[in-house]
C-alpha cells in the first residue's frame, strides 16, 4: 500500500523485565489513508507503564517502549485526513486502533472492542514484526479516529495525563451521573484520584476523598474535595456510612472492598478503575443487598475522551505534574512503584 | 389506643430450631386506624421460611410462625380505610410496616427503609411481647399501605407466591430494563427462577435459563425460556459467552459467580436475589472490566408489588404450585431443604 519509506524514530525502551529503559532507534510506518504523523512533545508516565515494563502483569514482549499519555503537534497527514492539519496540538491515549464495526466501536466505546482494540504499546503491531511502541519517542503515526484535539489553552505537558488518568475517571463519572446532588467518593489518591476529584468537583458533585494518609487528605482538599475520610479511622468510616452515591476506586493494589461498600447508599455504585489484583478474597455479598453494585471501568472511548479534553479546556483543568528529562525515567519508575508520589511525572521529549 | 379486645387466631409455629411446626393459638391486635383484618385463605411456603424456622440464618426467636406469601379476604377494616372493604381478595407479602418517612419509603421502596421495615414474621412486634407472626394462620391485621389487591381473575392459591418469589424477581427485571431487545438469563430454577422466566418472557425479553439440571432445563423451556444453558457443560457456557444483558441469579446457596459474569456482555448486570452465603471467596474482579456489575436486590416495594400483581392479572401469570394441608408442612420443609422441588407449596388454610 504505502510506497513511501517508513519514518525513522527514536525513543527509550526496556530490553528485559529487569533492564532499565535506554535509548533505541526504530521506524514508524509511512502515513497511509487517514493517518496522522505526530511529533511528540510530552508523554506522561502511567503506573501501567511501570507494571508493563517490569512484566508485572505478564505478557510483556521486549523491547518494550511504553507511554500512552501523548501530546504533540501534527507534522503531516496522510490522504483523506481533513480534521487535522500540520501544527495542530493533538493527543493520543491508550488506543491506536480498533475494529470500528462491533457494537462497542459503533457506540464509540472502542476500549471495549469485541475484537480487542490495538493498544498504544505492547500490543501486536500489524505493520512491524514487534509490539506497538508507545509515546516515549519522537514520533508516532496514528489513524485519525484515534487522534484527539488538545485545547490550546491548556499547558500541553499538564494535559498529557488527561489521556489516561483523566479519561479513566471521567468515563465512569459520566456513566454514573456525577453532577449536582450526587455525592462522589474517590478512593486512593495518586494520578487517577487527583483527576477524579478535580473532574467530579467541576461536574458539580459533592466530593469526598477516601485515603489512608492524612497528608494526602490535605492535598485532596486542596485539589477540591469537600470532605476527607481517613480509611484507617473507624470514626471516619462510621460517619460516612451510607452517604455516597458513587465511589471511583483508583487504588491500584489489592484492597478490601467491604469497607467501601458500606459507604454507599441505596443504588450506590462502586467502580473499580485501578488495576486490581486478580482475586478479591473476602467480598461480603450481603453488603450488596441495597442494590449497591460493584463494577469496573476501563479507560474510555474516543468520543468521551474528546468530550473530556473539551471540558478540561473550558474549566482550565489539568493534572498536577512534574516535567522531567528522559534520563530521569528509571528513577521516576522507582518512586511510582513505591507509591510515593501524588502528582504525575511527564517526560519532556525535547530532552530525548 | 384500641379499646376493642385483641382478635383470637390460630396457626402453626415451631417452638425450637429442631422442633416441627405444630398448632398454636395466639392473638392479633384489634384493628386501629388504617388497619385491615384479613382472613387468610392461602400461604405459600418460601425457602426463607425453612431457613428461619431452622435458625439457619441465626436470629430466630421462638415460637416462630412463618409465612409471607399470604392471600385472603378482608374481614373488616379499621377507621379511615377507604381502599379496601370486606370481601376483597387481598395479599400480604414480606413487609407489614415501615417508617414511611425515609428516602427509601418515600420512593415506595419500603424494603430498603433506612430504619428497617417490619417484616411479616420473626421481627420485633410493636404490639405484643413476641416476634411478628406470619401467614401460617387464620388471621392477620395489617396497615392498609402494606395490603395488596389481588386480581380476582387469578387463582388465589397460585397467586400467593407472587408476593415473594414473584416480586423478588420482578423488581430487578424492571429496574434493569427487561423487555424487548434485552437478553435475560435466569440462574437457578426453583420458585424464584420459574417466576423470573415467566415474567421476563411476558415483558418481551429473550430468556435463557441457566441450570445444572437438564430436567429442570426442560421444565424451564416449558415455562417460557427460549434457550437453556446447562451450567456444567463447558460447550454450553462457551456458546453463551458475552450474550446476556442481565442475569437474575436465584441460586440460594453459595456458588461461583465468575462463570456467570462471563455470560454478560458490555454493561451487563448480575443481580443476586437468592440468599447467598456470606462470602464469595473467588470473585475475579478482572471480569468486571467490561462495566459488568454485580449487585443484589431484596424483594420489592409496595407500589411495584401492586404493579406486578396487576401485570400478572393482565397476563394470567401465576406460580406453579401444589396446594397442601397444614399437616404436610413439615415434610414439605424437608423436600424444599433438599432442593427437590421446582414448584411452590401453598398451604390451604381451610385445613387449619
Amino acid at each position: 500500500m504505502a510506497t513511501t519509506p517508513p519514518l525513522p524514530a527514536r525513543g527509550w525502551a526496556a530490553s528485559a523485565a529487569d533492564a532499565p529503559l535506554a535509548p533505541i532507534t526504530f521506524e514508524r510506518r509511512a502515513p497511509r489513508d487517514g493517518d496522522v504523523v505526530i511529533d511528540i512533545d510530552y508523554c506522561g508516565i502511567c503506573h501501567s507503564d511501570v507494571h508493563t515494563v517490569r512484566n508485572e502483569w505478564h505478557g510483556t514482549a521486549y523491547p518494550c517502549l511504553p507511554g500512552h499519555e501523548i501530546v504533540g503537534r501534527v507534522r503531516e497527514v496522510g490522504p483523506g485526513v481533513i480534521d487535522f492539519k500540520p501544527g495542530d496540538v493533538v493527543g493520543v491515549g491508550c488506543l491506536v486502533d480498533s475494529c470500528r464495526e462491533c457494537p462497542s466501536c459503533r457506540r464509540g466505546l472502542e476500549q471495549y472492542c469485541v475484537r480487542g482494540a490495538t493498544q498504544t504499546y505492547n500490543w501486536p503491531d500489524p505493520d512491524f514484526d514487534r509490539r506497538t511502541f508507545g509515546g516515549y519517542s519522537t514520533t508516532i503515526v496514528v489513524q485519525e479516529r484515534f487522534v484527539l484535539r488538545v485545547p490550546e489553552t491548556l499547558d500541553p505537558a499538564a494535559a498529557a495525563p488527561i489521556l489516561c488518568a483523566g479519561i479513566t475517571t471521567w468515563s465512569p463519572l459520566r456513566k454514573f451521573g456525577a453532577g449536582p446532588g450526587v455525592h462522589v467518593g474517590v478512593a486512593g489518591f495518586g494520578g487517577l484520584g487527583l483527576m477524579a476529584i478535580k473532574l467530579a468537583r467541576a461536574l458539580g458533585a459533592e466530593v469526598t476523598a477516601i485515603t489512608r494518609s492524612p497528608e494526602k487528605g490535605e492535598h485532596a482538599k486542596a485539589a477540591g474535595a469537600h470532605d476527607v475520610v481517613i480509611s484507617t479511622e473507624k470514626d471516619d468510616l462510621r460517619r460516612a456510612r451510607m452517604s455516597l452515591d458513587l465511589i471511583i476506586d483508583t487504588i491500584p493494589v489489592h484492597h478490601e472492598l467491604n469497607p467501601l461498600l458500606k459507604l454507599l447508599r441505596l443504588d450506590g455504585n462502586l467502580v473499580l478503575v485501578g488495576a486490581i489484583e486478580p482475586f478479591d478474597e473476602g467480598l461480603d455479598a450481603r453488603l450488596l443487598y441495597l442494590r449497591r453494585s460493584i463494577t469496573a471501568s476501563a479507560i474510555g472511548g474516543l468520543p468521551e475522551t474528546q468530550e473530556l479534553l473539551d471540558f478540561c479546556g473550558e474549566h482550565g483543568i489539568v493534572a498536577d505534574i512534574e516535567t522531567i528529562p528522559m534520563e530521569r525515567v528509571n528513577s521516576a519508575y522507582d518512586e511510582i512503584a513505591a507509591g510515593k508520589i501524588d502528582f504525575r511525572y511527564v517526560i519532556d521529549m525535547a530532552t530525548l
Side-chain angles (χ1 to χ4, degrees), chain A:
Chain A
M1 311 261 280
T3 52
T4 48
L7 307 176
R10 285 174 294 119
W12 278 47
S15 56
D18 54 358
L21 292 155
I24 182 175
T25 60
F26 63 101
E27 292 178 332
R28 297 287 191 185
R29 70 170 179 251
R32 60 172 72 122
D33 278 8
D35 266 346
V36 178
V37 181
I38 300 164
D39 287 324
I40 301 175
D41 291 320
Y42 298 100
C43 187
I45 301 179
C46 177
H47 206 142
S48 305
D49 301 353
V50 182
H51 286 307
T52 305
V53 163
R54 298 182 173 180
N55 198 21
E56 289 166 359
W57 288 339
H58 311 293
T60 302
Y62 295 93
C64 175
L65 196 162
H68 57 209
E69 294 181 348
I70 299 166
V71 171
R73 281 155 298 117
V74 175
R75 183 203 300 179
E76 61 173 299
V77 299
V81 173
I82 52 173
D83 285 342
F84 296 100
K85 62 177 193 310
D88 285 353
V89 181
V90 294
V92 177
C94 302
L95 306 176
V96 290
D97 215 340
S98 71
C99 85
R100 310 176 192 202
E101 290 167 356
C102 73
S104 300
C105 286
R106 285 202 303 270
R107 288 174 59 193
L109 296 170
E110 297 88 350
Q111 76 273 34
Y112 302 121
C113 174
V114 300
R115 295 189 182 87
T118 305
Q119 297 187 23
T120 303
Y121 64 82
N122 194 43
W123 203 257
D125 190 320
D127 298 306
F128 297 96
D129 182 24
R130 63 167 197 236
R131 298 298 178 98
T132 51
F133 278 179
Y136 295 9
S137 61
T138 53
T139 315
I140 194 164
V141 180
V142 179
Q143 281 281 291
E144 63 175 330
R145 176 174 171 149
F146 294 83
V147 178
L148 297 144
R149 192 167 293 282
V150 177
E152 304 217 0
T153 52
L154 296 179
D155 170 21
I162 294 171
L163 295 155
C164 173
I167 185 60
T168 299
T169 58
W170 177 258
S171 183
L173 284 169
R174 293 284 283 162
K175 178 170 164 62
F176 293 99
V182 174
H183 198 154
V184 176
V186 175
F189 193 79
L192 269 68
L194 179 62
M195 287 303 296
I197 289 168
K198 290 186 183 194
L199 295 173
R201 175 81 190 227
L203 282 165
E206 180 84 8
V207 182
T208 293
I210 305 159
T211 174
R212 280 179 304 184
S213 149
E215 283 154 37
K216 287 191 172 183
E218 287 307 307
H219 187 170
K221 274 198 173 165
H226 298 89
D227 191 16
V228 173
V229 166
I230 303 300
S231 58
T232 51
E233 295 289 333
K234 281 195 177 164
D235 282 350
D236 264 29
L237 290 172
R238 199 171 300 124
R239 179 173 56 81
R241 219 169 155 262
M242 289 185 66
S243 70
L244 305 177
D245 299 295
L246 172 63
I247 297 174
I248 306 294
D249 181 351
T250 74
I251 301 170
V253 292
H254 185 272
H255 57 287
E256 250 202 295
L257 301 182
N258 297 333
L260 294 175
L261 283 174
K262 290 178 185 172
L263 305 185
L264 292 173
R265 57 167 69 115
L266 179 65
D267 290 329
N269 299 290
L270 171 61
V271 187
L272 310 177
V273 298
I276 203 164
E277 306 286 311
F279 294 93
D280 183 279
E281 287 169 11
L283 179 69
D284 186 347
R286 291 172 301 186
L287 293 174
L288 300 175
Y289 274 89
L290 208 53
R291 298 199 307 210
R292 290 158 165 158
S293 85
I294 302 179
T295 183
S297 177
I299 49 174
L302 273 297
E304 56 187 344
T305 308
Q306 189 61 61
E307 175 194 63
L308 167 61
L309 283 162
D310 296 343
F311 180 88
C312 287
E314 204 175 302
H315 290 79
I317 295 174
V318 289
D320 292 4
I321 63 157
E322 186 179 323
T323 307
I324 55 171
M326 194 73 228
E327 292 74 20
R328 271 213 51 205
V329 66
N330 290 302
S331 64
Y333 271 34
D334 292 336
E335 292 174 48
I336 292 165
K340 280 187 186 160
I341 64 167
D342 55 5
F343 57 86
R344 205 73 156 176
Y345 278 123
V346 174
I347 305 165
D348 178 355
M349 226 51 69
T351 63
L352 215 174

